[in-house]
Amino acid sequence: MNLQNNSIHKQRLFFIAVSALGAIAAFLPWINYNIFGLSGSIQGISGDGVFTLALFIAVIVVNSLGQRNHPLAKGPTIATGVLGLIAALIPFYNIVSFQGALESTNSYMAGVEDLLSSDMYSFGFGMWLTLISGLVITAYAIFLFLQLKKQQSSVLNSDAVVPPVSTSADAGKEIATLEGDVEKTAEEKISESQADQTAEIPEESESKNEEPAEKEEVSSDSATGAKSQAAVSEDTPSNL
């Protein structure tokens, strides 16, 4: 078993861990109340915590799909950020809106909303944990998205402006190719010169062979002339 291929990338693991905390927060107290000696708490799952639980589970699913040992692509990163933002907006609305907090307790304290004050209730740990989890997921997703966008722009700029840089291995291959071409050119020139010299040698030998033949012809012509002169000299006394 290859543990490296089955491991989860740290980006995905971070989102899964924070989403697990947000999902657990749905079962923790969101509202603590103390009214006329009656105290208690309301869990998030009894109200809007149902939606935050579903959102955090969706974040876990998104980060568990695909190649888990690879970082998130742009699409899953955007989806994770949107889900985290919605999960953070739900408790944020309940915190900043007093009326929202009252509506969360209507089923338990119907008809006494007007008697409630800020001293009678407080937001529980589950509400704050849900808000923080959603904000952390959103912030980290935005950070990763900006990093991906920056990497894309740098790659596009390098492809458009800077020519591809050859590696040391490619440079070595180019140098070896150039040296090979130079050696081939030198060898070709040497072979051509040797071929020219080889072609000149038979021509010289042929010219040398032609010279003795000419000499033989001259000597034979001179011998023939001598014989003719001897014959003429022999004929001359007889005529006298």
Side-chain angles (χ1 to χ4, degrees):
M1 179 182 294
N2 194 348
L3 296 178
Q4 186 175 2
N5 292 332
N6 293 329
S7 62
I8 301 176
H9 194 272
K10 59 183 180 180
Q11 294 179 2
R12 298 171 180 265
L13 189 61
F14 179 81
F15 283 127
I16 291 173
V18 177
S19 298
L21 291 176
I24 292 172
F27 299 94
L28 298 177
W30 278 34
I31 300 292
N32 297 320
Y33 59 89
N34 186 2
I35 303 173
F36 305 118
L38 181 64
S39 62
S41 62
I42 303 173
Q43 295 178 347
I45 197 71
S46 300
D48 295 336
V50 176
F51 304 107
T52 59
L53 176 62
L55 291 169
F56 286 123
I57 291 175
V59 172
I60 294 174
V61 172
V62 169
N63 286 269
S64 299
L65 297 176
Q67 296 178 339
R68 294 184 297 176
N69 58 342
H70 286 71
L72 287 174
K74 184 182 290 186
T77 302
I78 295 174
T80 299
V82 171
L83 292 172
L85 179 61
I86 297 173
L89 287 176
I90 293 174
F92 178 77
Y93 173 78
N94 286 280
I95 290 172
V96 299
S97 175
F98 179 75
Q99 186 64 32
L102 295 179
E103 291 176 356
S104 298
T105 60
N106 279 342
S107 58
Y108 299 93
M109 294 173 290
V112 296
E113 300 96 274
D114 296 334
L115 299 177
L116 293 176
S117 65
S118 59
D119 296 333
M120 296 179 182
Y121 79 96
S122 63
F123 295 105
F125 178 72
M127 180 82 77
W128 296 110
L129 183 58
T130 303
L131 175 63
I132 294 172
S133 298
L135 291 176
V136 169
I137 290 173
T138 304
Y140 190 50
I142 293 172
F143 172 76
L144 293 179
F145 176 78
L146 294 176
Q147 290 292 323
L148 290 172
K149 191 174 180 179
K150 185 178 179 180
Q151 290 176 1
Q152 268 187 342
S153 61
S154 62
V155 169
L156 292 174
N157 292 331
S158 62
D159 291 339
V161 178
V162 181
V165 179
S166 60
T167 61
S168 58
D170 294 335
K173 289 180 181 179
E174 291 178 358
I175 293 172
T177 303
L178 292 174
E179 290 178 352
D181 293 337
V182 171
E183 291 177 357
K184 287 180 180 179
T185 305
E187 291 177 357
E188 289 176 356
K189 289 182 178 180
I190 293 171
S191 61
E192 287 177 359
S193 61
Q194 290 178 352
D196 294 338
Q197 292 176 358
T198 306
E200 290 175 356
I201 291 172
E203 291 178 357
E204 293 178 356
S205 61
E206 288 177 0
S207 61
K208 289 180 180 180
N209 291 331
E210 289 176 356
E211 288 178 358
E214 291 176 355
K215 289 180 180 180
E216 289 178 358
E217 290 178 357
V218 172
S219 60
S220 62
D221 292 338
S222 60
T224 304
K227 287 180 181 181
S228 60
Q229 287 178 0
V232 170
S233 62
E234 287 176 358
D235 293 336
T236 304
S238 61
N239 292 330
L240 293 173

